[in-house]
Amino acid sequence: MSKTSARQSAIQAITTYNPESDGFNFRDVKPTELFGCNVFNDKVMRERLPKSVYRSLTKTIRYGEALDPAIADTVAAVMKDWAIEHGATHYTHIFYPLTGQTAEKHDSFLMPDGNGGVIAEFSGSMLIRGEADGSSFPSGGLRSTFEARGYTAWDVTSPAYLQENPNCIVLCIPTMFLSWTGVVLDKKTPMLRSGQALNREAKRLLELFDIKSDLPIVCFAGLEQEYFLIDNNYNFARQDLLIAGRTLFGARPAKGQEFSDQYFGVIPQRVLSFMMEVERELYKLGVPVRTRHNEVAPSQYEIAPIFEQANVAVDHNHMIMSTLRNVAKHHGLKCLLHEKPFSCINGSGKHLNYSVGSAELGSLFDPGDTPHANAKFLVFCCALIRAVHKYGGLLRATVASASNDHRLGANEAPPAIMSIFLGDELTQVLEAFRSGHLEQAESGKKSGIMDVGVDTLPPLPRDPGDRNRTSPIAFVGNRFEFRALGSSQSAADSVTALNAMMADSLGYAADWLEKELASGMSFNEAVQSFITHVMEEHSAVIFNGDGYSDIWHKEAERRGLPNLHNTPEALPVLQAPEVVELYERLGIMRAAEIRARTEIYLEQYCKTLRSESILTVRMARTSIFPAALGYQKMLAETCAAIKAMGREFRTTTFDAVTEGLRGLQDRVNELETLMASVEAEQELQKRADRYCNEVLPAMEAVRSVADELECLIPEDMWSLPTYQEMLFNK
Ligand code: ADP
Ligand code: MG
């Protein structure tokens, strides 16, 4: 199919779109019955496992107790029977290597029975541990190829499920991924370990508040996923979308998002039909999707599930991303999860709503109704304030990627400076501690000053009211919303960092309170002393104003907050001594593992930019240059024909196209020379820096000439689908 016919096919697909039902309806199948029907969940386990095995397994799932290996065979047998009854033939250990993608290797249940036939087999050891050669996964030099074997280990806390395909069904078992020598090679293992550290320190602190909890203290995550949808024909007609997931060329359309006519607008029929199928598939997998709507940019949408325990929420987010990609194809659509598929309109993020608590205690970031609950809330808030002030750079580094660089700090997503929005009321209360004028926090009451203690604090605001969209970390009533995560990223690294930072600060708070109590202070005085201390030392990260403004950038610098503009600047923070110390002390990762990770991420950055610059050169030469040359020739022939009639004729368009051609050629050659020199750079960090500071601007320079040409060349001579078409034909 030629490129122009791909464009015509897209228009045809859109204009002749006829919504057809695939026969499924929610009259015959109750959504409540559909939900979780493909999950080996609590209900299935209770019904099918022997009582003692069920009890033992739920202890591991709910209370985090070590798994009893003696029950593995029974669980495996029951899981296999359940899967086979549902039509499964294969099983796979699902894991999350450092590429940030989902990885799976399928094995059949069938084994030869020795008599020429086969039997279905799945033992406890096959459930608990899988061997994934995985020598092609990046390991940052942690494994040499001769000992490349890695293994996957069952994560009991994330339920197994069935993946449907028209031709087969696969039992999927969420797992961790480690090297044979026990080195962490994935994103899940550190996250689970950080959860343990959080539980330990949170419980220590809560005990000082006389709160004992049987359930572990865990973190919850609600992940809002943004994405773009365009007609799939366009995707095939553009190498950049196909390979890089974003457009490297494209003139600004006559209309962008400035009318705000898209946000929460009526969802186009084909898109809605797609969304409903996505949700149906996710219901089956037990993913509690709830919200769907149009986002700000044209052809941009959002899907959000209800929050869950972070480990499960992160796995579910991976399942959401895969489902979005797969189901889009059924509707002739392409789902773009890239952070910035189109310049000049908003990019896509993945807001991470984060809270700490338990089913028993609820969110510990929820201000309570009693002064005692309020005191607990303020201490947890202060722990986060201290955490972000001390380790903001780490948090920033967890969202660093080539694609997310197009959002962070650009004028749309939160800036790259990690600050916290608390809202005026809450800030005022906390400021009152610092200034020693607690009466200011007691709206109206003028009675005491310092000695009034926490007992007389007024009820705290449950919601900061106005939503500040420019802050990377915002208090939203009972949780904090971390907005810097990119749409295509796994949330695991950010959750790990948040847990680790919180664990550190909660432990610090517990130490502080213990010390003050030992010195003879009352509990209220000790709490007051801790809050005052945090506000004195760490309130520099609180910022309620406009995060996009230049004033804030200057102010943040004055306050000493790091502003890590891009990935090569941000990633080295992962190896900062205080970060390594934090992760080692909490048992999350060792120095060598962190070093490997940093290297892998830097390498990924370089590879992404390398492939994008190759594409830029190639598309400029094979699509844009020929189109411009063709038009130039046409204009030249017209001029010559007129001249042959004895008249002088020149067009300014001819000059502009000629100028553009010359510019394009020069810029492309410059980019190519530069790339060769950057690729020859031996040192990884230096290579990454040069990609960022030299290659990216050189790519931008090629694009800028090409985009000007696009505005001159006749539509039918231009082979690439335009922004206008891709974003507005739906
Ligand atoms: P908004 O777009 O206004 O931020 P959404 O409804 O799109 O709100 O998303 C909010 C997300 O926050 C949902 O996933 C929701 O379940 C989640 N959430 C609500 N309460 C908590 C909590 N205590 N901890 C973590 N996430 C939460
Ligand atoms: Mg939202």
Side-chain angles (χ1 to χ4, degrees):
M1 183 164 42
S2 80
K3 297 293 165 61
T4 12
S5 78
R7 293 169 70 183
Q8 278 155 4
S9 306
I11 294 169
Q12 178 106 19
I14 294 153
T15 48
T16 60
Y17 176 72
N18 186 11
E20 262 179 66
S21 163
D22 57 5
F24 181 94
N25 69 68
F26 276 120
R27 274 187 310 279
D28 299 337
V29 184
K30 298 269 165 296
T32 43
E33 281 164 26
L34 192 71
F35 190 84
C37 70
N38 282 342
V39 185
F40 193 71
N41 55 19
D42 187 69
K43 183 165 166 279
V44 179
M45 292 192 282
R46 201 173 340 118
E47 278 167 14
R48 296 189 174 223
L49 289 172
K51 265 211 171 60
S52 62
V53 174
Y54 171 75
R55 232 177 287 130
S56 168
L57 191 61
T58 34
K59 264 195 189 150
T60 303
I61 296 171
R62 255 183 235 155
Y63 300 100
E65 288 181 18
L67 178 73
D68 174 5
I71 65 166
D73 276 326
T74 314
V75 178
V78 169
M79 202 186 269
K80 177 198 69 182
D81 290 344
W82 171 79
I84 288 177
E85 272 170 42
H86 283 78
T89 54
H90 287 67
Y91 70 94
T92 176
H93 280 194
I94 294 273
F95 58 103
Y96 304 100
L98 295 175
T99 53
Q101 309 290 314
T102 309
E104 52 188 45
K105 170 185 155 232
H106 298 194
D107 279 299
S108 166
F109 285 124
L110 298 183
M111 294 283 239
D113 64 359
N115 300 315
V118 285
I119 49 162
E121 204 184 89
F122 187 57
S123 65
S125 59
M126 289 151 108
L127 166 65
I128 291 184
R129 184 183 268 219
E131 199 176 313
D133 172 5
S135 51
S136 297
F137 288 113
S139 69
L142 282 173
R143 292 174 305 170
S144 32
T145 14
F146 65 86
E147 46 162 8
R149 282 191 311 168
Y151 70 91
T152 49
W154 182 29
D155 168 17
V156 187
T157 57
S158 185
Y161 57 93
L162 299 171
Q163 193 183 70
E164 286 182 25
N165 176 290
N167 295 321
C168 76
I169 287 174
V170 184
L171 169 66
C172 298
I173 301 152
T175 59
M176 294 164 266
F177 181 43
L178 300 104
S179 86
W180 216 243
T181 48
V183 174
V184 179
L185 297 173
D186 71 346
K187 292 182 178 251
K188 188 191 257 282
T189 313
M191 181 171 57
L192 292 176
R193 290 182 182 165
S194 71
Q196 285 171 353
L198 178 73
N199 177 37
R200 225 168 29 233
E201 301 304 329
K203 280 209 160 149
R204 245 188 81 206
L205 178 59
L206 286 172
E207 267 174 30
L208 295 172
F209 280 88
D210 245 344
I211 298 171
K212 291 212 171 38
S213 150
D214 289 334
L215 289 172
I217 303 300
V218 295
C219 64
F220 295 99
L223 290 160
E224 306 164 42
Q225 177 72 49
E226 292 179 343
Y227 60 93
F228 278 87
L229 274 184
I230 58 168
D231 192 279
N232 206 12
N233 289 291
Y234 294 135
N235 178 49
F236 291 120
R238 292 196 59 127
Q239 295 177 51
D240 49 3
L241 277 182
L242 197 64
I243 305 293
R246 74 171 178 112
T247 54
L248 298 169
F249 296 97
R252 181 187 270 276
K255 176 185 160 186
Q257 63 192 42
E258 63 274 16
F259 292 90
S260 301
D261 49 354
Q262 152 89 3
Y263 192 48
F264 287 165
V266 176
I267 302 172
Q269 204 170 31
R270 179 156 69 145
V271 173
L272 188 55
S273 173
F274 152 84
M275 287 175 168
M276 286 168 166
E277 192 183 332
V278 166
E279 286 162 15
R280 217 165 71 199
E281 290 308 311
L282 289 169
Y283 282 166
K284 291 192 210 163
L285 296 169
V287 182
V289 276
R290 185 178 162 89
T291 311
R292 54 165 106 112
H293 63 79
N294 281 5
E295 259 302 329
V296 173
S299 289
Q300 190 187 30
Y301 309 93
E302 178 179 306
I303 179 168
I306 295 169
F307 70 100
E308 297 176 282
Q309 204 167 312
N311 178 34
V312 177
V314 170
D315 284 0
H316 279 171
N317 178 255
H318 278 273
M319 287 149 74
I320 290 178
M321 291 195 286
S322 314
T323 308
L324 287 171
R325 284 200 190 100
N326 288 337
V327 172
K329 290 184 201 133
H330 305 173
H331 299 264
L333 296 165
K334 172 73 185 174
C335 174
L336 302 170
L337 290 169
H338 193 285
E339 280 76 2
K340 192 78 177 177
F342 305 99
S343 65
C344 76
I345 51 172
N346 273 11
S348 301
K350 173 158 24 211
H351 292 175
L352 160 58
N353 291 270
Y354 175 87
S355 67
V356 173
S358 72
E360 231 172 328
L361 302 175
S363 167
L364 294 163
F365 290 135
D366 199 342
D369 298 320
T370 64
H372 190 67
N374 278 343
K376 179 174 68 158
F377 161 74
L378 289 177
V379 169
F380 272 80
C381 261
C382 284
L384 189 88
I385 292 168
R386 175 181 176 274
V388 175
H389 190 230
K390 277 200 79 173
Y391 299 106
L394 163 64
L395 196 55
R396 162 69 182 93
T398 64
V399 295
S401 77
S403 48
N404 208 23
D405 277 3
H406 298 287
R407 280 175 74 235
L408 290 187
N411 224 14
E412 48 164 294
I417 308 163
M418 294 295 121
S419 67
I420 304 182
F421 168 83
L422 289 177
D424 290 337
E425 259 183 295
L426 189 53
T427 308
Q428 210 181 338
V429 171
L430 287 169
E431 277 296 335
F433 279 88
R434 178 161 66 162
S435 63
H437 291 291
L438 268 184
E439 80 282 0
Q440 287 175 356
E442 296 185 77
S443 37
K445 274 202 256 168
K446 288 272 178 270
S447 50
I449 24 171
M450 270 307 260
D451 58 47
V452 289
V454 220
D455 270 349
T456 48
L457 274 181
L460 293 173
R462 277 199 178 264
D463 204 306
D466 192 24
R467 284 282 184 102
N468 184 321
R469 295 270 163 204
T470 68
S471 177
I473 305 158
F475 174 62
V476 272
N478 62 350
R479 61 189 189 272
F480 283 86
E481 190 172 352
F482 178 51
R483 303 196 177 115
L485 201 64
S487 51
S488 72
Q489 295 180 305
S490 158
D493 288 350
S494 300
V495 170
T496 305
L498 281 165
N499 284 349
M501 293 154 58
M502 271 307 277
D504 172 71
S505 274
L506 294 174
Y508 181 83
D511 289 346
W512 187 279
L513 296 185
E514 276 166 6
K515 188 188 77 205
E516 298 289 53
L517 290 172
S519 78
M521 272 193 188
S522 74
F523 185 70
N524 280 344
E525 285 164 345
V527 166
Q528 193 170 311
S529 138
F530 175 71
I531 299 173
T532 309
H533 162 69
V534 170
M535 288 305 289
E536 277 167 357
E537 296 295 317
H538 302 291
S539 59
V541 290
I542 302 172
F543 178 66
N544 295 322
D546 177 4
Y548 296 163
S549 66
D550 287 339
I551 303 168
W552 169 232
H553 283 235
K554 292 209 185 76
E555 167 71 10
E557 199 179 329
R558 199 186 56 77
R559 294 189 191 182
L561 300 179
N563 185 358
L564 305 164
H565 301 87
N566 49 54
T567 301
E569 273 183 35
L571 282 179
V573 179
L574 291 178
Q575 293 198 75
E578 70 272 17
V579 171
V580 174
E581 188 278 327
L582 175 76
Y583 276 6
E584 288 206 319
R585 170 162 49 89
L586 297 176
I588 295 170
M589 271 187 284
R590 284 168 293 181
E593 291 168 317
I594 300 171
R595 192 175 338 110
R597 216 156 274 248
T598 316
E599 225 165 82
I600 290 167
Y601 294 161
L602 263 180
E603 233 155 49
Q604 261 171 0
Y605 177 82
C606 292
K607 282 178 187 158
T608 306
L609 284 182
R610 178 171 177 270
S611 132
E612 286 188 352
S613 36
I614 293 174
L615 269 171
T616 302
V617 170
R618 198 165 293 174
M619 287 175 73
R621 290 215 175 113
T622 60
S623 293
I624 295 157
F625 200 76
L629 210 56
Y631 187 40
Q632 193 202 37
K633 186 165 165 247
M634 192 173 116
L635 289 170
E637 280 165 7
T638 313
C639 292
I642 295 174
K643 207 172 174 184
M645 292 191 283
R647 295 190 194 169
E648 197 51 44
F649 185 75
R650 251 190 114 65
T651 73
T652 49
T653 312
F654 180 84
D655 293 341
V657 173
T658 309
E659 185 71 14
L661 274 165
R662 221 176 279 134
L664 192 67
Q665 211 162 23
D666 290 348
R667 299 295 91 75
V668 169
N669 290 340
E670 281 158 20
L671 174 59
E672 214 172 27
T673 317
L674 186 61
M675 269 164 63
S677 125
V678 170
E679 269 300 301
E681 197 71 68
Q682 289 303 309
E683 208 204 313
L684 181 59
Q685 178 71 46
K686 227 180 186 168
R687 192 156 76 237
D689 289 339
R690 290 193 62 197
Y691 263 120
C692 179
N693 300 320
E694 298 173 37
V695 177
L696 259 181
M699 280 167 59
E700 221 19 75
V702 174
R703 178 188 182 141
S704 137
V705 192
D707 290 357
E708 275 172 33
L709 282 170
E710 183 186 333
C711 299
L712 294 172
I713 293 172
E715 254 234 311
D716 57 354
M717 296 181 81
W718 190 257
S719 65
L720 297 173
T722 63
Y723 267 35
Q724 209 144 298
E725 286 173 302
M726 290 187 283
L727 294 171
F728 292 97
N729 289 350
K730 47 190 160 190

